[in-house]
Amino acid sequence: RKEVEQDPGPFNVPEGATVAFNCTYSNSASQSFFWYRQDCRKEPKLLMSVYSSGNEDGRFTAQLNRASQYISLLIRDSKLSDSATYLCVVNGYNNNDMRFGAGTRLTVKP
Amino acid sequence: ETGVTQTPRHLVMGMTNKKSLKCEQHLGHNAMYWYKQSAKKPLELMFVYNFKEQTENNSVPSRFSPECPNSSHLFLHLHTLQPEDSALYLCASSPRRARETQYFGPGTRLLVL
């Protein structure tokens, strides 16, 4: 089983839609969880950390489900500028390094 | 504007060439990382340096040789690469090694002919 698994997509949604991505992880001892965003031919950039209680930043909501070992990202009222690849990041088995998912590609269309 | 810079941004090299990638961070961080990103694959962690000491080498072939002269600079020396080494090489830094937000440089897009 991969350490971090994501649905590669692509997700093609119209502007204004709500879209959700899930990410599963294999290390039950993981403590740190992040969502990064990577635009085409650019470096990954932190979108948000994921806290145990769930957290929201504007149109973006992140949730953690430890029992089922997954994290989710919900994007409301999608904008064209949300088009990107979203990377799930979880700390690895040695507890000190981060493991990246392969990413989920989102395209928001007019 | 990212606090992590990388040079060169693009590199084409033959299999017998020797080249070096450079990374510099201006964030006062103590941990630096090299990642490889190939098409449709997750980022692969290659090396980790924490306070200038190499703490991780993820079974990377010896044709890749890292160097970290201080906490702000990281190099990746390349020698006798293979075409399958063509990828985007990303440098990142974090305040300390361990479960923290990493800040990435723009990457070096490498093509090995």
Side-chain angles (χ1 to χ4, degrees):
Chain A
R1 182 182 173 186
K2 292 180 185 175
E3 287 190 71
V4 182
E5 286 202 76
Q6 295 183 250
D7 181 342
F11 284 67
N12 299 308
V13 303
E15 269 187 293
T18 295
V19 61
F21 310 133
N22 278 347
C23 166
T24 58
Y25 61 94
S26 60
N27 179 13
S28 59
S30 292
Q31 295 293 322
S32 298
F33 308 90
F34 305 90
W35 283 103
Y36 278 69
R37 170 196 169 125
Q38 186 171 23
D39 292 290
C40 188
R41 305 187 76 79
K42 300 274 191 172
E43 72 274 20
K45 293 186 178 178
L46 179 69
L47 178 66
M48 57 197 304
S49 302
V50 185
Y51 304 124
S52 296
S53 55
N55 48 300
E56 190 173 304
D57 182 2
R59 299 181 292 109
F60 298 85
T61 300
Q63 296 279 354
L64 167 64
N65 185 317
R66 285 190 185 277
S68 300
Q69 293 181 211
Y70 75 84
I71 64 172
S72 64
L73 178 68
L74 181 77
I75 305 175
R76 289 182 299 278
D77 188 24
S78 300
K79 312 290 184 192
L80 296 176
S81 57
D82 294 334
S83 298
T85 296
Y86 291 84
L87 305 173
C88 170
V89 187
V90 179
N91 69 282
Y93 281 102
N94 70 4
N95 215 32
N96 278 317
D97 295 309
M98 308 306 288
R99 294 291 182 254
F100 286 75
T104 297
R105 191 153 65 88
L106 170 67
T107 301
V108 181
K109 301 189 173 181
Chain B
E1 182 66 29
T2 181
V4 183
T5 58
Q6 289 187 244
T7 56
R9 295 294 305 277
H10 301 271
L11 178 63
V12 180
M13 60 187 289
M15 289 190 283
T16 58
N17 292 156
K18 287 185 183 181
K19 297 286 184 184
S20 295
L21 310 185
K22 179 183 176 182
C23 174
E24 183 173 0
Q25 58 94 2
H26 313 274
L27 301 169
H29 290 168
N30 292 304
M32 296 187 78
Y33 310 79
W34 279 118
Y35 287 90
K36 174 184 178 182
Q37 187 174 36
S38 305
K40 300 192 186 304
K41 293 173 81 172
L43 269 73
E44 299 171 48
L45 180 65
M46 299 175 73
F47 301 104
V48 181
Y49 277 82
N50 196 33
F51 292 93
K52 301 188 298 177
E53 298 297 320
Q54 187 181 129
T55 55
E56 195 84 14
N57 175 342
N58 272 357
S59 304
V60 180
S62 59
R63 58 186 183 268
F64 295 92
S65 173
E67 178 190 0
C68 187
N70 54 61
S71 292
S72 299
H73 293 86
L74 186 63
F75 295 89
L76 188 63
H77 304 300
L78 314 173
H79 177 50
T80 58
L81 295 192
Q82 305 298 311
E84 60 265 29
D85 297 323
S86 299
L88 179 67
Y89 288 85
L90 290 159
C91 173
S93 71
S94 64
R96 295 171 302 273
R97 183 194 174 199
R99 311 203 311 247
E100 296 180 315
T101 302
Q102 294 182 14
Y103 297 83
F104 285 84
T108 296
R109 195 161 294 278
L110 173 67
L111 177 62
V112 181
L113 300 176

